[in-house]
Every structure is written in C-alpha cells, then in structure tokens.
C-alpha cells in the first residue's frame, strides 16, 4: 500500500513537472501572503503583510469615486494617463528638484511590483547579473529568476544594516547589468545614507550598471531624516530607474498604481514589457492617484509623524515581550531577533506565534537567499490603527507570562 502511494506521487510529480516551467519551480509561493492566510485562519492580528488598516485620505477616495461616475472606465494610455504623468512630473520636481519628461520618461504600471518586474524584464538578459542587497523584499528574488538573471547578494549587516564597501565592490563585474536598491528599506527599516548611496553610485558609473531603486517608502522617515533619491546623485540621472507608487504613501495598496521614472533609452523597453504584461493600470484610479500626488506638503509630514508614533508604541512593546528589535529609521517594518526565546527555526516560531498567541509576523528567512541567515529573525509591520496595535501588544504580553515560548 505504502509503495503504491509512493508510486502515485512519483507519477503525479512527473506529470506536474512537465506542466510547469522550470523557472516557476525555482521560487516558492509568497511567505508573506501565506502568513496572512494563516492569520485569518486563527483570527489573529496581522502584523505580517504590510498594508494599512486605516482609511485613505478622503479627497483621494472621492476622486476615485468621481472618476468611476464620470465613466473613466476604459483603458488609459498604456504608459499612464496624461493627468497622472503631469502630476508625477510636478511632484517629483517639488520634492527632488529632478525633471522628468511626461512623454518619454515615465511608465505607470500596476503597482511598484509590476514596475520592478517590467524593468528587469526590459533591461536584463539571461545570464546577466543583478546585485541585490539582502535581507531583501521577497519579490526581488523571483523577479530576477523570471528574467533569467543571476542574482548576486550583498549583505546588509546588523545592527545598522550597513554594507561592507569591499563586499559590494567585489560583487560588481563585467556581467553586472543592474543593482536593486530599496530605501527606505523593507524589511529592515534602514534608510541608506548619502555616503552609502554615493559608494553605490560610483560603482554603477565605473561598471556602467543601471540602478533600479525602489523608493516606495520615500515619505516614511523618522527623526526628521530626509530621503536621498538615487537619481539625484552625480552621474546617476540617466542610469537610474526610480520606482514608487501610491500604495504606501496614500494607504491604498489594493489600487495597484505605481510608476517608473527613467531615461528614454530604458523607458522605451519598460513600456513595451508593461504593455504586453498588463496593458495598463486601472484608469479611474490613475485619476485618483493624480489627486493624491497634488496633496500638500503637510500631508506627508503628518503621515511620517503618525508612523513614528506607531513605531514608538510597538518597538518597546516587542522588546518587553522578549524580542530584540532593530530600531527602524524609515518604512513601517521592524526586524527582530528571536534568539532570546531560544528559537532556531523562524518559520516554526512564526506559525506558533500566530496559532498560540494570535499575532502574525513574517519569518526572517524569507528575506534571505540563504534561509539560515534569517532563522533567528522575525519581521513585524506597524501600519495599523492604534487599537489594532494595542490588541497585538495585549496578546504579545502573554508571551512573557510563559516560561518558554520557542
Ligand atoms: C519594498 C517594497 N516594494 C514594493 C512593494 C509593493 O508595492 P506595490 O503595492 O506598489 O506593488 C512593497 C510592499 O510591501 C514593498 O515593501
């Protein structure tokens, strides 16, 4: 009987194998989304998948509703509605001083996620190398695989998540096509300093490499830090693809609007890939995105203040519960060290935390190319109303009441 069962599995696997591409077997389902499903099953507090549970700005929602009622229901221009591109040019100038041409240097996609995939598919050939800092936002690994690139990982090291310039230099070579940077950073909360970015920029110039910079958390910065756009550094304007979107800044992760800013030589490729992947981003929500981009400076300042208050509530509470958090400088994530619990398996720890305590986080290993580097790490996010964070903290407090947890 056991043999028959094994035989059935082998046959099934053989059939399945021939039905899926080899490349799709080289990455797993998203661990983050899996934690959300697990959290729902246990009716837990979801501090795993990074999306806000508070409302989006009223004026932005009204603009979306208006656009639907005005019958903005058909395909927008594939690379983005003109009103959105104009708003994007204005906002970029307002915040960074950089000029981008609405006709030739912008592509609006279905979220930053599609921006990254379209960019890498547009610029990378199989066999090219792409440098990725790790721990990394989990999409970058599969993105590299999908375009046939060989990822070269460079470690960001605790406690301040900086990189060793020699290690970075050694990762560059003749086959390097691009480097992916994410600042402010998910999952660490690191904000790259100007010095660090200049080190990266100098290597990009030296090796003729394109910087693909995910700046989706550009407005979520603490203690008055400022965001340094990679494209603003000397020699980088024409070798940088700047990716951002409305998901995080305006609390609308489900609307799926993002954009790539890049010189025409690169935009021309991104646009073609984007067109055949998705045709275009949701038309009425592009109108609302334009309204969002027109919000005054005070909106961004208040948002950063509000996130800092959430951080300052959750981080000490995590510490009190027995985690060792690494203080984030930006974005809305906090990476923690779970070794204090005697934990050696982050995935088992995360499952147990959600099942027995009712709080979901993300196992650290999902952010590393070599899972063993994240085995004693767990990431939480704090894009949550105060009441939700209080519910999480109330549950976490039960951990310290137990003699052992892991
Ligand atoms: C670094 C980073 N980039 C991109 C995304 C996804 O952005 P979007 O909703 O625009 O696809 C996330 C979401 O968590 C993220 O953390």
């Amino acid at each position: 009987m056991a043999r028959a069962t094994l035989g059935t599995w082998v046959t099934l696997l053989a059939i399945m194998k021939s039905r899926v591409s080899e490349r799709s077997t080289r990455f797993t389902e998203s661990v983050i989304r899996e934690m959300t499903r697990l959290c729902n099953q246990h009716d837990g507090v979801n501090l795993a998948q990074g999306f806000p549970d508070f409302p989006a700005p009223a004026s932005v929602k009204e603009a979306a509703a208006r656009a639907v009622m005005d019958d903005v229901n058909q395909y927008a221009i594939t690379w983005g509605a003109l009103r959105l591109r104009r708003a994007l040019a204005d906002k970029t100038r307002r915040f960074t001083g950089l000029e981008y041409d609405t006709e030739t240097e912008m592509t609006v996609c279905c979220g930053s996620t599609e921006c990254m995939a379209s960019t890498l598919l547009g610029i990378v050939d199989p066999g090219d190398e792409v440098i990725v800092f790790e721990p990394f936002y989990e999409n970058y690994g599969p993105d590299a695989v999908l375009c046939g690139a060989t990822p070269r990982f460079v470690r960001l090291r605790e406690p301040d998540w900086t990189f060793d310039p020699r290690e970075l230099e050694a990762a560059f070579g003749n086959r390097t096509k691009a480097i992916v940077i994410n600042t402010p950073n998910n999952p660490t909360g690191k904000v790259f300093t100007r010095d660090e970015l200049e080190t990266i920029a100098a290597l990009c110039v030296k090796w003729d490499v394109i910087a693909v910079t995910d700046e989706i958390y550009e407005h979520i910065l603490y203690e008055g830090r400022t965001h340094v756009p990679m494209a603003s550094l000397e020699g980088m304007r024409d070798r940088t693809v700047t990716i951002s979107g409305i998901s995080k800044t305006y609390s609308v992760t489900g609307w799926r609007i993002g954009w790539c800013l890049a010189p025409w030589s690169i935009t021309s490729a991104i646009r073609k890939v984007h067109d055949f992947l998705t045709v275009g981003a949701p038309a009425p929500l592009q109108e609302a995105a334009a309204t969002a981009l027109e919000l005054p400076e005070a909106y961004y300042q208040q948002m950063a203040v509000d996130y800092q208050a959430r951080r300052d509530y959750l981080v000490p509470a995590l510490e009190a519960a027995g985690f060792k958090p690494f203080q984030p400088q930006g974005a809305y994530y906090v990476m923690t060290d779970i070794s204090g619990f005697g934990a050696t398996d982050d995935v088992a720890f995360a499952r147990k935390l959600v099942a027995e305590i009712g709080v979901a986080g993300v196992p650290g290993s999902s952010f590393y190319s070599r899972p063993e580097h994240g085995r004693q790490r767990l990431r939480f996010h704090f894009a949550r109303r105060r009441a939700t964070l209080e519910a999480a903290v109330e549950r976490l407090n039960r951990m310290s009441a137990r003699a052992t947890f892991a």
Side-chain angles (χ1 to χ4, degrees), residues 79-365:
W79 54 80
L82 182 57
R83 182 172 160 233
L84 174 53
R85 283 181 283 128
R86 283 189 176 143
L88 193 50
D90 288 347
K91 175 175 176 281
T92 306
R93 185 182 310 110
R94 185 153 57 103
F95 281 91
T96 70
L98 292 166
E99 295 285 346
Y100 281 90
D101 183 56
T102 54
E103 294 312 312
T104 57
E105 297 187 308
M106 295 179 178
T107 313
V108 175
C109 295
C110 297
S112 307
T113 303
E114 193 224 310
C115 291
M116 184 60 76
S118 291
T119 298
L120 293 182
L121 285 165
I123 64 175
V124 170
D125 281 316
D128 285 346
E129 292 184 359
V130 174
I131 299 173
V132 178
F133 289 103
E134 69 174 346
F136 53 82
Y137 171 53
E138 64 164 2
N139 281 33
Y140 303 156
D143 283 344
V145 170
L146 286 172
C147 62
T150 306
R152 291 284 305 260
F153 296 100
V154 173
R155 286 285 292 279
L156 297 173
R157 291 179 197 277
E158 302 133 349
D160 57 356
W161 305 102
T162 193
F163 58 87
D164 175 348
R166 283 161 308 183
E167 191 185 334
L168 180 65
E169 191 167 2
F172 276 79
N174 287 329
R175 293 169 62 186
T176 313
K177 189 64 185 276
I179 179 167
V180 175
I181 302 132
N182 170 219
T183 181
N185 184 262
N186 173 11
T188 64
K190 176 187 174 60
V191 175
F192 282 70
T193 63
R194 182 176 285 277
D195 269 5
E196 288 170 328
L197 292 171
E198 279 172 354
T199 300
I200 300 167
L203 288 164
C204 288
V205 172
K206 177 175 171 192
W207 291 98
D208 191 18
V209 162
I210 298 169
V212 183
T213 150
D214 180 342
E215 301 184 3
I216 191 145
Y217 299 102
E218 62 197 306
H219 294 290
I220 306 180
L221 295 152
Y222 306 126
E223 283 99 20
R225 284 183 177 78
T226 46
H227 173 64
V228 180
M230 191 53 151
S232 68
L233 300 186
E234 199 174 333
M236 293 308 290
R237 165 65 174 76
D238 287 334
R239 61 172 65 255
T240 299
V241 180
T242 304
I243 292 174
S244 193
I246 62 172
S247 282
K248 314 289 175 172
T249 307
Y250 311 102
S251 307
V252 285
T253 58
W255 286 17
R256 316 309 306 132
I257 307 276
W259 51 79
C260 309
L261 306 179
W264 170 245
S265 55
I266 301 175
T267 293
S268 55
I270 297 173
R271 283 185 178 179
K272 278 191 284 180
V273 177
H274 158 69
D275 188 3
F276 288 105
L277 276 182
T278 64
V279 179
L285 302 179
Q286 291 195 44
E287 294 301 318
T291 300
L293 294 181
E294 288 158 8
L295 284 170
E297 177 110 24
Y299 170 79
Y300 302 93
Q301 284 164 0
Q302 189 59 47
M303 184 188 52
V305 166
D306 291 345
Y307 271 115
Q308 188 165 322
R310 294 181 189 108
R311 179 197 69 168
D312 292 347
Y313 175 68
L314 184 66
V315 171
L318 286 169
E319 203 158 7
F323 295 86
K324 284 185 215 136
F326 298 98
Q327 178 79 326
Q329 304 168 334
Y332 51 53
Y333 303 94
V334 52
M335 189 70 115
T336 65
D337 180 342
I338 53 175
S339 61
F341 296 100
T344 50
D345 180 346
D346 59 321
V347 177
F349 185 93
R351 286 177 189 278
K352 194 168 162 168
L353 188 69
V354 71
E356 295 182 16
I357 301 293
V359 176
V362 180
S365 56

